[in-house]
Amino acid sequence: MAEPADIYEKVMELAKRRGFIWPSAEIYGGVAGFIDYGPLGAQMKRRIEDAWRAFYVIREGFYEIECPTVGVEPIYVASGHVKGFSDKMCQCPHCEEYLRADHVAAAGGIGNAAALSAEALGETLKSLPCSACGEELGEVRVFDFNLMFNTWIGPGSQRKGYLRPETAQGIFTDFPRLLRFYRDKLPFGAVQIGKSFRNEISPRQGMIRLREFTQAEAEIFVHPEGKRHPRFDRYREYAVPLLGCEEQCGKGEPVLVTMGDAVKKGLVANEYVAYYIALTHDILVTVGVDPARLRFRQHLTTERAHYAADCWDAEALSKRFGWVELVGIADRTDYDLRAHACESGVALTAYLPLETSRMERRRRIIPDMKALGPKFRGRAKEVADALVKADPGPDGVEIEIGGERIAIPSSLYQVKEEQVEVRGVEVMPHVIEPSYGIDRMCYAVLEHSYDEDMVEGEVRRVLHLPPAIAPVQVGVFPLVSRDGLDRVAAEVASLLTAAGIFTEFDESGAIGRRYRRQDEIGTPYAVTIDYQTMEDGTVTIRERDGMAQVRVKKDTLAATVRGLLGGHTAFASLGP
Ligand code: ATP
């Protein structure tokens, strides 16, 4: 087993050496908060994104959209990012390093530091050490630092723009078109995978806290009074370790609860939130997060956004970083659509036809223009428009125009009571949002899949990646590079490649070393061509985890490997 203390260094050493993760712009000294995915890392990341798509796009049927990474200012005024997307920062008076004030406080044992005001944080920091140089901070000023990168759009332009801090806003601003695309029905969902940008204050946690990172977000628009999920049965009996608000105040241990019970007991607000908690658990385990190191933590009322009905974080346990949030799942109510409707002036509602129409009594106000005209002259139309929307009493009504309150007597309008046929209702949908950080998922998968054992007196490093996520799917080796074995091995590799299987051909070095090279990048299977292949047309397949080997016919190899990779064939079923 790997040593707990230095697993991060071991994983990152392997990741750098084998081309998973590299420091960005390394030849210029690198820059904190940015990473490059090397050849194997980019491949693995794409496979994780595709596994995510298999759940959300293929299975849930939510189409993927792609919006620009630069957004105009009103988007982020409406979303609240311009005003409130900031972290509390301070500067160390000794080493001049900028620090996240709440992180320094949390590291110093201050509970719930993220919820403290700037003043309260400043007080707590006085006696705490700087996380960069270790000196006692003393008197420091704590202030808000907005995390958005800003820019100007077009040359000489006054049009301010921001690099998006999340992918979600593009989905909200496309809401009217998405609603039409989904034929004006609820519920529907749309997803986006792409880069987001946050100018994090002191990103010293490798892939966990980046300034440019990839998010995969789903926005599911539901009827505000319809939070029962139509396919809840899929996850009703699915059990997930939940650390609710109560457990956090108690023993701090999560409890394993089925989603059906979680909703019944009121632990999770509704079936939609529970459904996406279970689906998230399903995805994370599928891509290789260890279920024993995974929990779902409910936001405490002090950390939850005021508009959210419920909010849970999927957290993975890292030996280096502790519990790390990989995914946030929230019932955001109608906060986002309401905010954008207000800022843009566009009605972001859905008109939903009723199954059977109903008759309703309505009052209609009919302004008397002949009387309003001479009384209000140029403002008569404004007064009439306000009157139509007013709710008059028996003697008249007070309206407001441009901040001025005007009393209108009942002689200036008529009130008609009418019966109208109501065929539909206008609703502002609520949004359920599961928001995934792909880079943090990549790191958790690497850390959880990393292992070491001793084989023939040597340390064998292995990434126990699920076959669907491993960057290279099969290694193909001739036992020796002579006697025609290398030619046959090249043919076998072509056969596999032609079947769409990502294959690495390797003929250099001792066979044991070649196995080790594939083990440490997580390749699940290795195929070896030996002298027996030349006699009976069979090759060996070696499985990475158990290191067992079986012989199969060369002609059926591609189909067998496909079955193994897809999980339809068990390795043990192939023979002794
Ligand atoms: P944190 O509290 O860790 O800063 P957050 O709550 O602000 O994260 P969200 O806004 O909910 O994060 O974003 C959704 C997901 O995006 C997170 O669960 C995380 O996986 C990912 N994410 C957020 N910020 C970063 C970052 N700086 N680097 C890498 N991934 C990130």
Side-chain angles (χ1 to χ4, degrees):
M1 286 293 289
E3 280 292 310
D6 55 355
I7 185 146
Y8 173 76
E9 266 109 35
K10 288 181 178 194
V11 169
M12 292 319 283
E13 184 281 323
L14 188 154
K16 266 189 214 161
R17 181 167 47 79
R18 296 305 311 270
F20 282 86
I21 310 295
W22 291 326
S24 206
E26 197 174 10
I27 60 167
Y28 293 105
V31 47
F34 296 90
I35 53 164
D36 289 354
Y37 284 87
L40 297 184
Q43 179 101 315
M44 185 182 99
K45 177 169 178 270
R46 209 161 25 245
R47 290 197 196 283
I48 289 181
E49 290 168 4
D50 285 343
W52 190 93
R53 285 189 176 94
F55 277 87
Y56 275 99
V57 182
I58 299 175
R59 205 185 73 181
E60 295 296 300
F62 300 158
Y63 283 83
E64 183 174 351
I65 66 166
E66 198 176 312
C67 307
T69 52
V70 175
V72 290
E73 191 172 30
I75 299 176
Y76 299 107
V77 170
S79 67
H81 286 93
V82 169
K83 211 166 164 201
F85 192 56
S86 46
D87 281 334
K88 299 222 164 29
M89 182 162 94
C90 64
Q91 192 178 18
C92 172
H94 313 289
C95 67
E96 299 192 343
E97 181 80 15
Y98 287 105
L99 310 165
R100 255 244 357 226
D102 55 332
H103 285 182
V104 179
I110 308 296
N112 213 7
L116 294 182
S117 68
E119 293 71 34
L121 269 173
E123 271 307 305
T124 62
L125 295 184
K126 277 184 184 161
S127 58
L128 294 177
C130 163
S131 46
C133 69
E135 289 285 322
E136 194 176 276
L137 283 167
E139 216 43 75
V140 281
R141 190 170 74 86
V142 175
F143 52 98
D144 283 322
F145 173 75
N146 193 297
L147 299 185
M148 280 199 296
F149 287 94
N150 53 36
T151 184
W152 296 102
I153 300 168
S157 151
Q158 292 308 304
R159 198 130 205 234
K160 200 168 181 186
Y162 292 95
L163 293 188
R164 64 182 180 196
E166 60 181 27
T167 58
Q169 297 304 324
I171 302 180
F172 298 137
T173 54
D174 276 345
F175 172 77
R177 292 199 178 274
L178 283 165
L179 179 65
R180 239 164 290 146
F181 175 84
Y182 282 103
R183 304 216 194 118
D184 296 288
K185 289 195 186 78
L186 294 178
F188 70 83
V191 306
Q192 180 156 209
I193 301 187
K195 293 284 194 180
S196 293
F197 304 82
R198 297 183 187 180
N199 203 0
E200 298 280 357
I201 293 169
S202 51
R204 285 198 224 103
Q205 293 172 294
M207 297 164 75
I208 305 295
R209 195 159 295 283
L210 295 168
R211 288 176 165 142
E212 176 173 340
F213 56 99
T214 300
Q215 284 188 315
E217 294 193 290
E219 308 301 325
I220 301 120
F221 298 93
V222 305
H223 194 293
E225 282 134 37
K227 303 233 175 127
R228 302 203 63 169
H229 196 289
R231 294 183 302 281
F232 191 61
D233 278 346
R234 168 177 279 144
Y235 288 126
R236 193 180 294 280
E237 298 306 324
Y238 193 99
V240 172
L242 296 183
L243 186 65
C245 289
E246 262 181 43
E247 284 74 30
Q248 287 172 68
C249 302
K251 278 195 217 141
E253 284 299 318
V255 283
L256 197 64
V257 194
T258 66
M259 292 300 95
D261 280 349
V263 176
K264 224 185 281 165
K265 290 178 187 156
L267 184 53
V268 175
N270 55 58
E271 288 187 2
Y272 266 99
V273 175
Y275 184 92
Y276 289 102
I277 287 177
L279 185 145
T280 298
H281 187 275
D282 207 355
I283 291 187
L284 293 176
V285 172
T286 301
V287 301
V289 173
D290 177 3
R293 286 178 265 179
L294 177 60
R295 71 177 189 190
F296 287 72
R297 189 183 67 80
Q298 189 171 35
H299 277 206
L300 298 170
T301 39
T302 45
E303 64 180 311
R304 192 170 79 203
H306 64 90
Y307 49 80
D310 198 9
C311 196
W312 292 78
D313 287 345
E315 297 181 331
L317 185 60
S318 157
K319 280 181 181 150
R320 165 68 75 102
F321 303 113
W323 289 101
V324 174
E325 173 191 336
L326 306 184
V327 187
I329 302 157
D331 177 343
R332 299 179 58 86
T333 65
D334 61 5
Y335 176 80
D336 308 275
L337 290 183
R338 195 166 288 285
H340 282 297
C342 192
E343 182 70 25
S344 66
V346 177
L348 301 180
T349 50
Y351 177 78
L352 303 176
L354 294 170
E355 264 174 35
T356 46
S357 64
R358 59 167 192 255
M359 297 307 288
E360 244 180 35
R361 278 182 80 78
R362 291 242 175 110
R363 278 206 312 175
R364 194 150 66 93
I365 317 297
I366 306 162
D368 181 351
M369 291 311 287
K370 281 207 187 106
L372 289 177
K375 194 166 166 59
F376 292 101
R377 300 180 183 277
R379 295 166 75 197
K381 178 154 185 337
E382 267 183 287
V383 171
D385 288 347
L387 259 178
V388 168
K389 291 181 207 144
D391 184 16
D395 303 325
V397 66
E398 203 176 62
I399 58 168
E400 194 183 307
I401 296 176
E404 186 191 345
R405 303 190 73 79
I406 308 170
I408 310 283
S410 57
S411 56
L412 298 185
Y413 57 86
Q414 273 185 354
V415 178
K416 275 205 168 160
E417 299 278 344
E418 322 177 302
Q419 284 278 356
V420 287
E421 187 184 5
V422 179
R423 299 203 178 136
V425 283
E426 206 76 48
V427 299
M428 187 167 272
H430 280 197
V431 170
I432 312 294
E433 180 190 75
S435 172
Y436 296 67
I438 297 289
D439 312 85
R440 290 189 186 176
M441 284 162 67
C442 286
Y443 177 73
V445 168
L446 286 174
E447 187 181 313
H448 288 189
S449 65
Y450 182 89
D451 203 3
E452 293 173 358
D453 51 17
M454 293 299 284
V455 174
E456 291 156 13
E458 259 190 60
V459 178
R460 180 178 86 118
R461 292 180 191 83
V462 194
L463 289 182
H464 295 285
L465 297 173
I469 300 309
V472 176
Q473 295 173 304
V474 188
V476 174
F477 317 139
L479 183 66
V480 289
S481 296
R482 55 174 190 273
D483 304 330
L485 266 59
D486 44 351
R487 182 184 47 78
V488 175
E491 281 167 18
V492 167
S494 307
L495 260 168
L496 291 169
T497 311
I501 297 164
F502 196 91
T503 307
E504 205 169 87
F505 180 82
D506 186 0
E507 56 179 336
S508 67
I511 192 83
R513 204 151 289 283
R514 281 181 269 168
Y515 284 138
R516 303 286 170 276
R517 281 205 281 266
Q518 294 302 326
D519 288 343
E520 72 169 6
I521 61 167
T523 309
Y525 301 104
V527 171
T528 304
I529 286 77
D530 55 17
Y531 286 103
Q532 195 178 327
T533 311
M534 312 303 265
E535 287 164 20
D536 64 7
T538 63
V539 298
T540 65
I541 307 182
R542 171 192 178 268
E543 187 217 13
R544 173 199 67 204
D545 295 343
M547 291 184 285
Q549 301 197 7
V550 289
R551 294 200 82 87
V552 299
K553 282 269 179 212
K554 207 170 57 176
D555 314 343
T556 57
L557 178 68
T560 306
V561 171
R562 257 188 198 280
L564 289 169
L565 292 172
H568 323 299
T569 309
F571 189 78
S573 72
L574 295 179

